[in-house]
Amino acid sequence: MVKREETIAFFVEQAKNDFSLVEKNLAGVISEIKNSNMKKLNYIEEFDAADVLRQVAELKKAKYKGKLFGVPVTVKDAICVKGIESKAGSKILKGYKPLFDANVIERARAEGAIILAKTTQDEFGFGTFATHTEKVPKNPFDNERSCGGSSGGAAGFTAFTKNFHVAIGESTGGSIAAPASFCGIVGITPTYGLVSRYGLIDYANSLDKIGAIGKNAEDAALLLEVIAGYDARDSTSLENGFKKEDATIKRLAVIKDFFEGCDEEVKKVVQKKISELRKFYEVEEVSLPLNVKYALAAYYIIATCEASTNLAKLSGLRYGAQGDVGGKHFDEYFSEIRSREFSDEAKRRIILGTFARMSGYRDAYYLKAMRVRTKLINEFNNAFKRYDLLLNPTMPVVAPKFCEIEELTPLQNFAMDLCTVPANLAGLPHISVNAGFINGLPVGLMAIAPHLQERRLYSFAKVME
Amino acid sequence: MDSKPLYFGKIVFAVYYKNPFGVVLFMAKVEVTKELIAKVAKNARLNLTDAELERFVPQIKEIIVDSFSKLDEIDAKEEPSFQPVAISNRMRKDEVKKGITQEEALKNASAKLRENGYFKGPKVMK
Amino acid sequence: MSDETTVMIGLEIHASLNTKSKLFCACATDSTLPNSSCCPICLGHPGSKPVLNEKAVEFATKIGLALNCKINEDFFFSRKTYFYPDMASNYQITQYEIPVAENGFVFLNSGKKVGIKRAHIEWDPAALVHPSGMGKSSYVLIDYNRSGMPLIEIVTQPDLSTPAEAREFMNLLENVLGYLQVLKPDTTLKVDCNISINGGERTEIKNVSGFAAVEKALTFELARQKQEVKRGNKIEQHTRAFNAETGTTVELRKKETEADYGYIFDPDLVKVTLSKEFLTKIKIELPELPEQKAKRLQEQYKLSEYDARVLCSDLVLGKLFDSIVSKSADAITAARLLTREVLAVLNHDSLSLSDVDVKAEDLLELVQLLSSGKVSDKNAKQSVINYISGDKSSPKVFLEKNNLLISATVDLDSIINKVINANRKAVVDYAGGNEKSLNFLAGLVMREAKGTVSPKIVLEELKKKLS
């Protein structure tokens, strides 16, 4: 059970009447950030102390005190904050200072949030373990293990901090749920389109969703409420918000196929938690055979195709890593910068994505994947005719050691996403909450709701806590 | 590809990538060769060193053959999903909004890549 | 000996649309200082997102309808990925599988039907400046003001058979687009010309500006291909550039090295579905198009087909006509004056209407003088030559100054009496039904009046006198 005094809502209520609480809390997070031991944990990509102090000074004078008044919010590096270096975890964007705030930042600021720092992530979101970047975040439960990715820094810091804080993360194939699971906290990935992508440095535009990470479901839900909403500057932004009607949940189903790829210990912990739920809900089983067989392939084809075009613009002109053009032909200059600054993982994904949409392969891969995606969304929607929520383990394992991760092939890396990818491909809202521990390492349980039924996820999470 | 249990410490770290037939019964139609990957990389303006090619070819081949080509198994006559939720007709009125100044536009360019209000870029003639 | 070569020519035309803001962002489309009309979207800054300009869709639909195309009510946008320094994102947002309009046609003056394959919207890349000329610069300078501007790309079927036909098609197309008022002023149409002979492979001449250049480039390329074939060489598909100064085409690159564009649906944009209301509104808003106007002029003003067509094939000429007839009843005289005298002078001096300052009021005065017989055709022609190429004074002023108007100082009545009295036989013959005698008498009158009277007036007055 989460105590009321531990929630952000409670903090904000107090802070509105006593600004010193804001200053004290902020001093707490800043000292954590500056602490040399904490620095080694690599959660923070970019922290501008002067900018933060300026925000606090403004906030002190503010007449309107919003829902996140005085709350320090960290932001995944891929989300643009005006004037603050935003690299999406990649060397090729070194020095890029956006000329504008992302919509989610505008909304957070309007509700009194303090934009504290940028958090570390896999380059452009390419990864499940937040290892494909220079600053690799370390799991607060065991520093030799991964935080999960790609929003590793966001989850790591949220779990680590002893102060009030929430994190804005982002998920393409599971990058909010995976780190939430490995770090034992709550991550909510909303319906695709609920939160504006204006200002998000793209991984895969039809799959990227900005979401909320918090110590508990209430905090995450509060943040999500603030950042969600229609934005005319994002053509894929939904005009309707999440459904406000009754969020009663009666019947849940466990997606049994997703269990088969999971570690035995993880299965046990998750199944035990689910059996506790039978006190409150009807719990049955459901099978999603098409999703379990084809979601990963369809996802990675679409994601790499879109990513390979998004990353085409990164060629050493106008911003980020730039060189000397003098005398070079553009093929030479572009290739030089790109080959030097992109990591192996980025290069592989660019090659895969370029391949899958090339003439001769485009029909069999890109177009086929786009059609299969429709099929898979239909399979989910059919299941939702009978069930209010679907459940599965968030990740097939607990946080692995970095040395174990190095042994995996890229394909084995992809395969770790087997539980999170289907919901992400279908743009369905989902939440990961802690279900227990194995040898002190957190295990996540994931619940998936139909499009725009985020409120069901909150009710569920409350019951879980 | 079969299940591959890896034992590390006390935790069984098992990664399954389940092939429904247990064994690879079909051959993917595409032939993933070093030449193909080098060609694709060049198209994407990536100069791969020989070492990188050596490393990447089996990795990429595995992904294309064991994962991507799975889609060959099924028929899909459905309409493609541009986005996972149905959205259409997003347009804006033909109105001018104040943009950024020339200085702001050039701000993120390095000093070497600016000249008299223009951005400097590499030449186009060989 | 006739030339048995079958020639196939197809054109891809790019035109800038006349919107206030760019295609996917709200930047202004007019600006002078480099990089002063940009934003993160048209600069390709990470995190920026495109939003479609509805005016561009309207214009594209109008263009499609004017070219007799089928309008696709559901369409979407694609990313065409290729690397070039003028590409802000190294991909172009365009339309691949489903364009706004397709399968249309136009008719040339000869009656030949030219198919329009498709018309679609796409964004323009940035402008490149080569500081020391294209071949010699070691770097380029880039101005993103142009980046993101809306373009319409119109692709014809390879139905054109001669370079002259290609030029005629371009004139026709520019005219239609002018009537629709969809083209950005002070911009030229850029054309990629494709040509093949005897069913062989085609060559593409990229980025030719202006209709004369199109004809020249195709003429050169046609001759070049014929020569190659004569030498026993096979034509291979490839891309060429046109050098306007030398009038030649040069090879740019071979087909194999062309980029594989790897089209995907642009995932930042969504499907567009045109509603019935929208299509109805556009159809109503379509102005009278050249073909329709030509028909109307023939019916309404009894103009000849030739005059009507010529007046409708040039927007400025047509506007002059409209202005004059709105104030004067004599449409036929006005038409003839414009299509013959005015155009003759322009052609002689290799000028176009936009080069000279021809005002409707001035021409209206001349038309009125001609209709009321106050000036002869010969002198009217002189006044036009002077108006366009001489001292530029208005025709009326010129005629008055040089005493060329038939005013009351010429006593037409007494001249007619004199002639009638001196030619009794002709008068009698005319009374007997011989029309030729009337003309004979009229000729004498004209000679007596030293050509200062219009034949029409003379005949009228003679008839009156003799009846």
Side-chain angles (χ1 to χ4, degrees), chain A residues 78-156:
Chain A
I79 298 168
C80 289
V81 176
K82 184 171 179 178
I84 302 289
E85 191 181 57
S86 301
K87 303 198 306 287
S90 176
K91 283 194 304 171
I92 205 167
L93 280 175
K94 189 161 168 63
Y96 172 54
K97 291 194 176 163
L99 300 173
F100 58 103
D101 272 339
N103 183 237
V104 296
I105 303 298
E106 292 171 334
R107 287 174 184 269
R109 288 198 210 265
E111 290 297 323
I114 300 170
I115 305 301
L116 179 67
K118 307 303 286 306
T119 50
T120 52
Q121 59 166 94
D122 284 292
E123 180 177 13
F124 297 111
F126 297 156
T128 311
F129 300 115
T131 48
H132 298 296
T133 186
E134 288 187 312
K135 277 190 187 168
V136 175
K138 301 179 187 166
N139 196 306
F141 289 88
D142 178 343
N143 295 162
E144 284 170 40
R145 293 177 183 267
S146 158
C147 277
S150 56
S151 314

Side-chain angles (χ1 to χ4, degrees), chain A residues 320-342:
Chain A
Q322 293 159 69
D324 217 323
V325 292
K328 291 185 192 139
H329 182 267
F330 68 85
D331 279 336
E332 196 193 324
Y333 178 73
F334 291 167
S335 304
E336 196 184 287
I337 300 268
R338 289 164 66 83
S339 308
R340 189 175 61 225
E341 305 293 342
F342 279 136

